Amino acid sequence: MIWGVVILFTCLVLGFPIYLGLLAGGLYILVIAYHIPVDMVVIGLYDGVAKFTLLAVPYFLLAGALMENSSISRRLVDCTVPWLVRVRGGFPIAGIIANEIFGAISGSSAAATATIGRVMFPEITKTNGERFALGLLTSAGALAIIMPPSINMILFATATNVSIGALFLAGVVPAAILGGCLAVYIFLVSPRPDVSQRFDLKVAVHKTIQGLSALSFPIVILGGIYTGIFTPTEAGAFSAVYAFLLPAVLYRELGWKQIVSSIKDTTRLSAQIFILIASSTVFSQALTVARVPDMLVPLVGDLGQFWFLVILNLVLLIVGCFFDPTSAVLVLAPVVAPIANALGIDLLHLGIVFTINLAIGMFTPPFGLNLFVMQSIFKKRLEEIARAIPPFFGVFLVALVIITYFPQLYLWLPRIWLGHTGQ
Amino acid sequence: MSSALKLTRSLMRVLDNVSGFLLVVITVMGFLNVVMRYLFARPIAWMEEMTVLSMVWMVYLSQGMLESENSQLRMTVVSRLFGPKLQFLVNTIRTALTLFIFGYLLISGCGVITNNYNFKTCTQALGFPIWIAFLALPVTFIIIMIPRILDPAVKYGDEPPVVNCEKGGS
Amino acid sequence: SADKVIMRVATPTTNDPQTHEMDLFKKVVENKSQGRIEVQLFPSCQLGSNAQMLQGLQMGTIHGLLEPTAFLGGFSDILTLIDLPYFFEDVWTATALLNSRAGDKLREYLQNRGLVAAAFYPYGDRILLLKFPVNSMDDFKGKKVRVMGAKVLQNEIKAWGGAGIPMDVPELYTALQQGVIDGLESAAQFFFMLKYFQVAGYIFTEPKGAEVTVFLMNKKWLDNLPADLRDIVTNSAKEIVPEATQYARNTEKESMRKMVASGVKVMDASPELQQKLKNASTLVHETFLMENPDAKPIYERLKKAMEK
Ligand code: NA
Ligand code: NA
């Protein structure tokens, strides 16, 4: 068994595709170490992806890609900024709010970073300096995978058999806590607003009305899920169609070219994610056959919840530095979930801890999609962006501690709304 | 770049276009399923199955393109430091591993398909033959192997990471 | 020792009669074989979905599988004849008959597909948990009821005027609470253990069908075992039937009692309504026999045994 893990790590270090490492390691354990017919791998490669709930992944990816090609972000920013012109740190705080709302539409952190970043970078640079703007926009994009809908939550829920809807609902308050922590930090370090800026109620209301079509999006999608109009998977399909109709029919800004490029982006991303889903299915089944979760439970069981969560956070933060959240969730969730279960940790709580840690991984160097996005849009060197990250990393860590150790702050929502009973 | 390689790339792009078409199909079917449920209080179970089947083909048909462009997710922090000679060696090992694994899976995959064909196993709602659904796998194994056979040192596969990260990631 | 035989046994569920049966089986087999066989248990879909486990069983990657027959449609439609509404009187008669000579034809059919049906265990009487009361068959009109995968069950709800929908377990609670579905069909312990009764207040005790677990084993693997071990494995599966039955009976009774105590209303059909539901269900039988002509002799044989 240990050799299977060694093979996986060797493949990862050598820069092989992650799925190849998972397959090689899984095949070694199943076929060579445990003499199981290789058919199990073939069947697993099909079965791992042929799941109705996983349809939500391409749906939400398509919705995100379509929105990226539209002016939805611009509209979201336009309707938050005018309300906050007299507030200390008003512009960056508006950026946080826009990120939260964008996150409530899209599950893609990189898309949030790219689109909100483009819109807000010049303005925040003017008020708070370039370094601050880089750090804020690179990190705040991560809110999109904490605020539902979220691809990582779908993958976590599918891997551990919890309800996607319940996990989505559990993510709302943590996203707000993170946004709150960021807003407080921004407020403390920002200069007073420019006296020439005046709050104009008329402009604010007018802009908000103009943005209503964009604001209606999260209400329709999330409202639809929680009033029982549709399941999360159906909401995904609805969301993709909505994200097409809004810019195509209402704003008239979506041409054939944008549509085709959105479709291409989605098939590419889906292909990247699903080959990982398939191969991590094989790998985690190999670990199950090798009885790894059963061996880990007594080892970690003596730790107790507190220290288990400390170690889990450290491991996930380190993993997040080097890997994309997709592979991390797919490989680690099936191994960690039985341990958490044995320790009496609600799987929704575990799912949120996973999501926040890996969201942080989106902007921690050396590997983080948000970093690459900022790098390519604003033509900055990675080191320059990396230097801007630490204070925001600190703010995220504070929020992470709160969210890890006070799950009652957010678990009440799925409990009351969906009667979620834990485990 | 060799012409054979160029040809495969265009073939992989064609397959990727099919996959794009399937994406449109699954989106429309998923949307229709919600509508049907509300209009006629009758969800269509076979449509759900059809959607999942199409999704499987969709995500697998694009694998050839990912392999030929070398744009699967991977960790490059360490391998970026390799010199050209070491990189060449590592890539050759990767090709060998890819061919070994997928060749092996291809043989076994045919067995699984024959088995499903012989026992006439079907999906529950649609009665769709499983062996046809499973054909996606050998097709995938082959389209993953072809780019590696033609370009064993992964010479033409390296695109700068930023290109597919711009729109990328979860 | 090196020649120790490992038997991998899987089931989709957690903490229910099926996992209880696999625990019993493990104990008996390991005891009888004096450690020459090690039974490894994989509950909770650890080795993949129903579809993957079934395929794995056929290919020999797992050796034993405990699975409700209602999930075997498509894979082996004929087994779902057990799930036909108003075929068996209840689950207890069903398993008693299936484990007797009356089930031989069914076993024979499975043998030809490379599987051994080592034993049948009762899961529970198949009844309905609904969000609405039922006074007449019209009450089913337009209602969406989640059924286990089998086509006969989908057709059953359809024949009564509603729609039978298969749906994955993780999404069920939310779907039921929010009204995406209006009820579910399964056994009492399933409603109780997964707390569905908290969001749907009525139990309708029809069709009182048979929710049966079949313990399938890979035939080739069994054939390759030394004869004494093969006997131990197949006999142990049968040996635990009485204990498994008792367990299922107790949990069913307990679950019902607790649900009633917490305010769930139990509705029994009037003789007229029951007759109406029965009449509507004959269409389901006819469709099934038409689509599965192979099932006819098995169906007749069981029917005859029941009349005795
Ligand atoms: Na989101
Ligand atoms: Na990172």
Side-chain angles (χ1 to χ4, degrees):
Chain A
M1 191 281 297
I2 209 77
W3 282 108
V5 179
V6 171
I7 291 174
L8 168 63
F9 276 102
T10 313
C11 290
L12 293 181
V13 169
L14 292 180
F16 291 2
I18 295 170
Y19 85 85
L20 192 63
L22 288 166
L23 267 183
L27 268 168
Y28 174 84
I29 295 175
L30 286 172
V31 179
I32 298 177
Y34 284 85
H35 310 289
I36 289 178
V38 61
D39 308 310
M40 180 161 183
V41 176
V42 176
I43 301 164
L45 286 176
Y46 183 87
D47 196 71
V49 300
K51 291 190 178 133
F52 182 69
T53 42
L54 286 178
L55 271 167
V57 174
Y59 289 156
F60 280 119
L61 286 176
L62 178 60
L66 285 164
M67 276 184 300
E68 222 179 318
N69 280 315
S70 76
S71 60
I72 286 180
S73 309
R74 171 90 256 166
R75 283 162 203 267
L76 289 179
V77 170
D78 280 352
C79 61
T80 44
V81 167
W83 295 98
L84 297 167
V85 283
R86 295 297 305 141
V87 177
R88 209 160 125 179
F91 273 105
I93 291 177
I96 299 292
I97 296 175
N99 260 308
E100 297 265 19
I101 303 174
F102 189 87
I105 307 175
S106 156
S108 162
S109 165
T113 311
T115 56
I116 309 272
R118 267 200 197 99
V119 177
M120 295 230 66
F121 184 70
E123 281 155 72
I124 298 180
T125 303
K126 231 182 283 163
T127 58
N128 293 60
E130 188 183 277
R131 189 156 158 179
F132 186 89
L134 277 177
L136 176 71
L137 291 168
T138 313
S139 58
L143 289 172
I145 48 178
I146 300 163
M147 190 62 124
S150 158
I151 307 283
N152 293 294
M153 289 187 186
I154 297 170
L155 298 178
F156 180 90
T158 318
T160 59
N161 279 331
V162 300
S163 154
I164 295 174
L167 188 55
F168 275 6
L169 207 52
V172 175
V173 175
I177 293 175
L178 267 165
C181 290
L182 283 168
V184 168
Y185 171 75
I186 292 167
F187 184 81
L188 292 177
V189 300
S190 290
R192 296 188 174 284
D194 191 344
V195 278
S196 66
Q197 296 271 10
R198 286 187 172 275
F199 174 70
D200 189 335
L201 184 68
K202 245 167 114 183
V203 173
V205 170
H206 181 71
K207 288 280 184 191
T208 306
I209 290 173
Q210 278 191 329
L212 273 183
S213 55
L215 287 173
S216 73
F217 205 128
I219 297 171
V220 169
I221 300 303
L222 293 183
I225 298 179
Y226 296 116
T227 52
I229 295 175
F230 32 56
T231 62
T233 308
E234 293 173 335
F238 198 84
S239 165
V241 173
Y242 203 87
F244 167 74
L245 291 180
L246 207 59
V249 178
L250 200 62
Y251 310 155
R252 304 194 169 278
E253 59 190 13
L254 204 58
W256 184 242
K257 222 179 105 191
Q258 281 93 346
I259 296 173
V260 170
S261 99
S262 304
I263 291 176
K264 291 248 140 137
D265 287 346
T266 309
T267 55
R268 176 189 297 270
L269 274 170
S270 305
Q272 286 175 335
I273 293 177
F274 275 80
I275 189 78
L276 273 171
I277 298 177
S279 52
S280 63
T281 303
V282 169
F283 190 74
S284 72
Q285 284 177 1
L287 293 186
T288 307
V289 166
R291 298 272 170 202
V292 171
D294 293 358
M295 291 189 290
L296 284 177
V297 169
L299 276 183
V300 190
D302 296 337
L303 281 176
Q305 287 199 8
F306 182 87
W307 289 106
F308 168 73
L309 287 169
V310 170
I311 294 174
L312 179 68
N313 275 319
L314 286 176
V315 169
L316 289 176
L317 284 174
I318 294 169
V319 167
C321 289
F322 300 100
F323 293 96
D324 63 291
T326 315
S327 5
V329 165
L330 288 168
V331 176
L332 293 176
V335 182
V336 176
I339 301 172
N341 242 331
L343 288 171
I345 295 173
D346 192 324
L347 286 183
L348 292 186
H349 177 193
L350 184 73
I352 296 300
V353 171
F354 255 84
T355 309
I356 309 239
N357 272 294
L358 300 171
I360 295 175
M362 297 297 290
F363 60 83
T364 49
F367 180 91
L369 284 183
N370 290 8
L371 296 167
F372 302 146
V373 169
M374 291 304 270
Q375 208 184 345
S376 74
I377 296 180
F378 300 110
K379 308 282 172 274
K380 301 285 174 199
R381 282 180 307 120
L382 189 62
E383 296 77 58
E384 224 173 318
I385 304 171
R387 266 202 300 275
I389 297 291
F392 297 94
F393 179 71
V395 176
F396 269 79
L397 274 191
V398 171
L400 176 64
V401 171
I402 299 174
I403 291 163
T404 306
Y405 289 105
F406 299 96
Q408 59 274 29
L409 285 175
Y410 47 90
L411 287 182
W412 61 270
L413 200 53
R415 277 183 186 149
I416 288 177
W417 201 297
L418 300 174
H420 168 76
T421 43
Q423 304 295 312
Chain B
M1 200 186 297
S2 76
S3 60
L5 197 59
K6 266 188 198 149
L7 193 71
T8 4
R9 272 218 179 167
S10 358
L11 173 70
M12 298 312 171
R13 295 247 158 82
V14 171
L15 292 180
D16 186 48
N17 288 339
V18 177
S19 150
F21 170 75
L22 287 173
L23 174 65
V24 177
V25 170
I26 64 168
T27 310
V28 172
M29 285 203 290
F31 183 74
L32 278 183
N33 218 6
V34 189
V35 176
M36 295 296 259
R37 189 148 60 79
Y38 279 94
L39 289 187
F40 308 107
R42 191 140 292 190
I44 309 166
W46 66 261
M47 199 138 102
E48 212 168 83
E49 256 176 20
M50 205 65 225
T51 319
V52 174
L53 283 172
S54 314
M55 175 180 76
V56 173
W57 279 89
M58 174 191 109
V59 297
Y60 275 132
L61 281 183
S62 292
Q63 296 305 329
M65 183 198 57
L66 292 189
E67 189 66 42
S68 71
E69 289 177 357
N70 193 22
S71 51
Q72 307 96 333
L73 294 171
R74 60 211 157 93
M75 185 184 79
T76 51
V77 181
V78 182
S79 62
R80 225 181 294 150
L81 310 172
F82 296 167
K85 267 196 187 143
L86 185 56
Q87 190 65 63
F88 178 84
L89 179 71
V90 165
N91 284 345
T92 315
I93 297 174
R94 168 183 159 182
T95 296
L97 186 65
T98 308
L99 295 183
F100 174 73
I101 287 182
F102 287 102
Y104 186 38
L105 290 179
L106 182 61
I107 297 166
S108 150
C110 294
V112 173
I113 287 169
T114 322
N115 187 65
N116 277 302
Y117 179 81
N118 290 339
F119 286 117
K120 297 193 180 56
T121 47
C122 298
T123 59
Q124 289 234 8
L126 194 59
F128 189 82
I130 301 261
W131 71 271
I132 297 181
F134 263 79
L135 271 183
L137 292 177
V139 170
T140 309
F141 300 158
I142 292 169
I143 60 178
I144 287 180
M145 284 194 288
I146 293 175
R148 284 292 69 82
I149 293 171
L150 295 175
D151 178 22
V154 203
K155 245 160 101 188
Y156 304 105
D158 266 313
E159 297 200 345
V162 189
V163 175
N164 51 40
C165 290
E166 158 102 39
K167 301 272 170 74
S170 4
Chain C
S1 69
D3 55 356
K4 186 163 158 185
V5 174
I6 288 184
M7 179 180 191
R8 284 183 290 275
V9 178
T11 196
T13 50
T14 322
N15 282 334
D16 75 335
Q18 290 183 151
T19 49
H20 181 71
E21 284 140 20
M22 74 197 307
D23 289 339
L24 282 176
F25 176 76
K26 177 182 166 75
K27 221 167 66 196
V28 174
V29 168
E30 289 183 352
N31 197 7
K32 274 190 174 177
S33 70
Q34 291 169 334
R36 283 168 64 206
I37 305 179
E38 183 192 337
V39 181
Q40 292 184 347
L41 304 180
F42 299 93
S44 330
C45 284
Q46 283 176 7
L47 297 183
S49 67
N50 285 325
Q52 186 180 357
M53 288 190 290
L54 275 168
Q55 297 244 333
L57 178 73
Q58 216 167 31
M59 306 298 290
T61 62
I62 52 180
H63 311 121
L65 174 64
L66 290 122
E67 182 87 78
T69 54
F71 284 125
L72 297 170
F75 172 78
S76 168
D77 276 321
I78 285 184
L79 264 177
T80 65
L81 87 83
I82 295 166
D83 301 283
L84 283 169
Y86 304 110
F87 183 57
F88 292 110
E89 197 173 312
D90 54 38
V91 71
W92 322 106
T93 10
T95 43
L97 273 173
L98 290 165
N99 282 322
S100 76
R101 299 294 306 273
D104 281 353
K105 276 208 165 1
L106 190 56
R107 273 185 284 275
E108 205 176 290
Y109 171 81
L110 288 165
Q111 289 235 351
N112 293 334
R113 316 198 95 205
L115 299 173
V116 171
F120 294 89
Y121 308 112
Y123 194 96
D125 289 315
R126 174 173 284 125
I127 52 176
L128 293 162
L129 176 73
L130 303 169
K131 297 188 84 169
F132 57 93
V134 181
N135 296 308
S136 72
M137 216 167 85
D138 291 341
D139 291 327
F140 282 106
K141 201 151 269 165
K143 292 295 199 297
K144 293 166 294 244
V145 178
R146 186 264 186 180
V147 292
M148 297 160 83
K151 214 167 173 182
V152 296
L153 296 175
Q154 292 177 43
N155 288 343
E156 164 201 290
I157 306 290
K158 198 165 147 198
W160 297 352
I165 318 168
M167 191 183 264
D168 289 340
V169 171
E171 301 302 327
L172 271 188
Y173 190 98
T174 319
L176 186 63
Q177 189 199 32
Q178 296 174 334
V180 174
I181 50 174
D182 307 296
L184 1 143
E185 191 189 55
S186 187
Q189 47 250 40
F190 182 72
F191 304 151
F192 176 72
M193 240 146 5
L194 294 165
K195 303 192 176 76
Y196 300 123
F197 71 100
Q198 292 172 345
V199 288
Y202 301 93
I203 282 181
F204 183 54
T205 58
E206 296 295 321
K208 227 171 181 191
E211 200 159 309
V212 172
T213 298
V214 56
F215 193 170
L216 292 170
M217 295 178 188
N218 180 294
K219 185 168 180 295
K220 211 162 114 197
W221 178 79
L222 270 180
D223 289 345
N224 286 334
L225 283 181
D228 58 330
L229 292 187
R230 181 169 50 225
D231 289 345
I232 288 176
V233 169
T234 49
N235 291 340
S236 302
K238 287 190 195 80
E239 199 181 304
I240 62 171
V241 169
E243 203 176 336
T245 308
Q246 197 52 49
Y247 181 85
R249 261 188 205 278
N250 289 346
T251 41
E252 180 172 284
K253 223 186 270 163
E254 267 302 282
S255 309
M256 265 312 215
R257 194 182 62 74
K258 286 183 182 148
M259 284 191 285
V260 170
S262 77
V264 173
K265 199 164 174 295
V266 178
M267 302 169 297
D268 294 316
S270 64
E272 300 85 57
L273 176 55
Q274 197 183 43
Q275 196 52 50
K276 265 195 188 160
L277 293 169
K278 264 187 194 171
N279 290 346
S281 305
T282 48
L283 182 68
V284 183
H285 288 234
E286 285 161 15
T287 319
F288 174 78
L289 289 174
M290 210 172 61
E291 285 173 359
N292 301 284
D294 294 0
K296 190 108 188 181
I298 305 173
Y299 181 91
E300 302 293 346
R301 175 75 184 84
L302 285 166
K303 196 118 209 184
K304 224 168 77 195
M306 262 182 288
E307 278 153 15
K308 266 189 210 161

